[in-house]
Amino acid sequence: AKNRGRNKFQAFTAELYDELQSRVRNERELRNAIATEGLLLHFQPMYRAADNAICGCEALVRWRHPGRGLVAPDEFIGLAEECGAIHELGEWVLRAACREAAAWPGQMKLAVNVSPVQFRDPKLALRVASVLAETGFPAQRLEIEITENVLLNNDSANKKILAALSAMGCSVVLDDFGVGYSSLGYLGSFNFQKIKIDRSFINDSSTKRARGIIQAITGLARSMDIPTTAEGVETAEQLSWLREVGCAEVQGFFLARPGPADMIHALLNAS
Ligand code: C2E
Ligand code: CA
Ligand code: CA
Ligand code: CA
């Protein structure tokens, strides 16, 4: 019995060791990708609900992995946050996205996702300002998408950074609204320029419950003069209902999937 216990223990440490090794390798590969243009941006169009005009794009990062192909962000953003590489990754995303968007027509906004971990850098607003200066992309057309985690614990340092971004002329957008812990409180504690209703509600919008939630969110936002975006629109029915309910902007596979910069150029030239 003693022996078996020892074997188990050895198997356990071997497994742990493998895990650790693959983690170290992943981290090394990711840092390398950030430093060597191994990342890639896709852009997903956003449309004005009133007339279906394209009004901007959201930048979504992918990892061009030599063995695994195009890796989705859900598979590496967490790792980047844990190992601290998210700061470099985030700056790469912002710079590459602004460079690209600088060639778009003037009415086009650019939305960039910023991780809560990036807010641990007190110089974040300064870094954003310097990327804007470097690329010539106007702050007024940049939308910083954050999740409510940024305001968790009523963090005053983070609020200062948000206020600085606002003062520069950037919009601050509350992403994934409705799925967090106490979303409503955050609307009172910071002046967001836009709210994105989480995809999960749009997905369920054939149910009375999800419709109720969406109507409550849009009603609340309207009473605060904050426009809403519906993300994850996948059907014509969803689109027409969301328009009726008063969402200002819509985004989703039904309208356009995320794609490379060339796809956006083709779209803009066709319209
Ligand atoms: P998100 O910010 O909520 O972005 C929307 C995600 O929903 C994207 O997935 C997009 O491709 C997907 N999506 C859009 N329309 C539809 C639809 O109609 N149906 C369905 N099923 N999905 C739709 P993606 O590109 O895999 O990104 C996942 C998440 O990774 C993002 O969620 C965001 O939280 C994070 N992310 C992506 N790029 C970045 C980045 O540059 N920096 C940071 N910090 N996070 C990023
Ligand atoms: Ca987003
Ligand atoms: Ca979202
Ligand atoms: Ca999300």
Side-chain angles (χ1 to χ4, degrees), residues 105 159 171 190 212 229 251 261 268:
K159 265 196 219 159
S171 299
F190 189 78
T229 297
Q251 186 182 10
L268 288 171

Side-chain angles (χ1 to χ4, degrees), residues 213-227:
I213 294 173
I214 295 170
Q215 277 171 316
I217 295 175
T218 50
L220 178 73
R222 195 174 308 118
S223 74
M224 298 179 81
D225 287 321
I226 309 174

